[in-house]
Amino acid sequence: PKSPLADGALYSIGECYFSEKRYQDAIEHYQQVIERYPKGSKVPQALLKQGTAFQQMGDATAARILYERLVEKYPNTPQAQAAQKKLNQLQ
């Protein structure tokens, strides 16, 4: 857990679940990245993928909340730009 690669490893587990369309499991692993490594570089990516997973499950409200949080907290990241595009599509 103290390894500099730990956040990336957890994120990768989430990616594996996402690719298998196991969105709830993916969301849980992305949440662990956000909670355990809040200053880590994977947080914007985890928020974006969480939002995408919720969107894939048909929960547009949860997706919108995550996209908005990402745009607000990490405005100058490529993930925030992608989230803004997704927000525009949801409206």
Side-chain angles (χ1 to χ4, degrees):
K2 297 192 186 307
S3 167
L5 304 175
D7 61 338
L10 264 178
Y11 179 82
S12 293
I13 294 169
E15 288 288 86
C16 290
Y17 283 128
F18 189 92
S19 70
E20 293 178 347
K21 296 183 174 28
R22 293 175 59 182
Y23 298 121
Q24 191 60 48
D25 291 325
I27 288 166
E28 290 169 13
H29 279 80
Y30 296 137
Q31 188 61 36
Q32 288 181 39
V33 172
I34 294 163
E35 290 175 0
R36 293 184 187 178
Y37 307 99
K39 296 186 187 323
S41 64
K42 292 291 186 191
V43 173
Q45 292 164 294
L47 285 167
L48 180 62
K49 289 305 283 261
Q50 265 190 326
T52 305
F54 275 114
Q55 196 172 357
Q56 290 292 324
M57 292 180 359
D59 190 341
T61 302
R64 182 176 288 115
I65 289 167
L66 287 161
Y67 296 149
E68 288 172 351
R69 184 180 307 160
L70 174 55
V71 170
E72 181 183 315
K73 286 189 168 188
Y74 304 95
N76 297 320
T77 63
Q79 293 82 13
Q81 293 172 0
Q84 188 60 58
K85 285 180 186 173
K86 288 178 179 278
L87 278 168
N88 294 341
Q89 292 170 352
L90 283 174
Q91 293 172 352

